[in-house]
Amino acid sequence: MRAQRPRRGAAGVTAAVLALAAVAGCGGSASGGGSAGDPGAGGTVSVFAAASLTESFTRLGRDFEAAHPGTTVVLNFAGSAALAAQINQGAPADVFASAATRNMATVTGAGNADGDPVVFARNQLVVAVPKGNPRGVAGPADLARPGVKVALCAEQVPCGAAARTALDAASVALTPVTLEQDVRGALSKVRLGEVDAALVYRTDALAAAADVTAVEFPESARAVNDYPIVALRDAPNPDGARAFVAYVRSERGREVLTEAGFQAP
């Protein structure tokens, strides 16, 4: 399995198209080589997935390859808005998994989905602070204290829209020191000690538990994100795309997602 580094912004679009076109050209048959249990799967399956799915989809990609000998899963993680733009500009992806229905709608609205998307997981925000919580952050209100540096996602990406909803629900107004293009960017600011806190998904805080502490807060229940997935209309490997979507929704998929901290739809 090959996992590509997250890309941000328009500069990554061309690179993604070229990289995946190269993969499609070198990956052998798009539909051959499936396992006996699922003859439709095989070849290369290119999956565009929200950055918050990095750990769970990396694990599922490895499991999928083991269950379908001869199959290679190529993962492209980034913000959902950037991925949707890449798909609508012709990136040769097979599957899109978004962190929000709004970004999925831009793909389905452009006629680039093969069928209707299905929500396969849900996710909720926490306040991520450095290990041990040195600033004593107990909830969103503490983020507005003088001198507390906060990282948020930009509002056009799912984690940013959820953060705005949660902060509004908590009646907290704050000015972040940085706005990141995906949740991993916001989390990295905490891990690097550049900010005192960030609003990130619970799953991302769990994945970084060695470095950060997750502070739960009740208002986050007002900003739960649905994660939809779909095979794409012009998928180079349509059989592999449908098989991967089915695998994510399988009992094994649910098990991996639950262990990562996602909620069932």
Side-chain angles (χ1 to χ4, degrees):
M1 185 184 66
R2 284 167 281 180
Q4 299 182 352
R5 293 174 64 85
R7 295 180 169 84
R8 298 185 178 90
V13 174
T14 302
V17 172
L18 293 175
L20 289 170
V23 166
C26 299
S29 171
S31 58
S35 69
D38 186 354
T44 297
V45 183
S46 299
V47 179
F48 280 29
S52 50
L53 292 165
T54 298
E55 282 78 18
S56 52
F57 267 40
T58 296
R59 186 174 174 188
L60 285 172
R62 292 193 184 107
D63 290 353
F64 184 82
E65 289 177 345
H68 301 84
T71 301
T72 299
V73 176
V74 177
L75 297 165
N76 180 25
F77 296 112
S80 297
L83 294 174
Q86 291 175 22
I87 291 167
N88 286 345
Q89 291 175 25
D94 295 301
V95 175
F96 179 38
S98 172
T101 55
R102 181 180 66 176
N103 301 107
M104 178 61 77
T106 65
V107 171
T108 58
N112 288 325
D114 178 18
D116 295 327
V118 177
V119 174
F120 65 97
R122 292 192 168 98
N123 211 350
Q124 198 163 335
L125 294 177
V126 299
V127 181
V129 296
K131 198 72 175 176
N133 195 2
R135 298 298 297 262
V137 173
D142 292 325
L143 303 182
R145 292 192 326 234
V148 175
K149 295 184 290 185
V150 179
L152 297 178
C153 296
E155 288 193 37
Q156 66 267 29
V157 298
C159 58
R164 173 50 51 203
T165 300
L167 290 171
D168 288 346
S171 299
V172 171
L174 61 84
T175 301
V177 297
T178 181
L179 291 170
E180 299 296 317
Q181 292 303 308
D182 61 49
V183 69
R184 292 308 170 102
L187 182 64
S188 70
K189 296 295 182 182
V190 180
R191 301 178 82 168
L192 293 171
E194 297 180 8
V195 299
D196 301 305
L199 284 179
V200 303
Y201 295 121
R202 177 185 291 152
T203 52
D204 293 286
L206 286 174
D211 301 319
V212 306
T213 295
V215 178
E216 303 271 356
F217 61 102
E219 294 85 358
S220 69
R222 303 276 293 275
V224 177
N225 276 21
D226 287 341
Y227 281 60
I229 189 170
V230 74
L232 296 172
R233 184 193 63 183
D234 295 327
N237 185 354
D239 292 335
R242 286 188 283 271
F244 188 82
V245 171
Y247 194 78
V248 170
R249 300 181 61 202
S250 69
E251 181 177 351
R252 174 58 180 163
R254 290 192 295 273
E255 177 183 319
V256 170
L257 291 163
T258 299
E259 288 179 2
F262 287 96
Q263 302 166 23

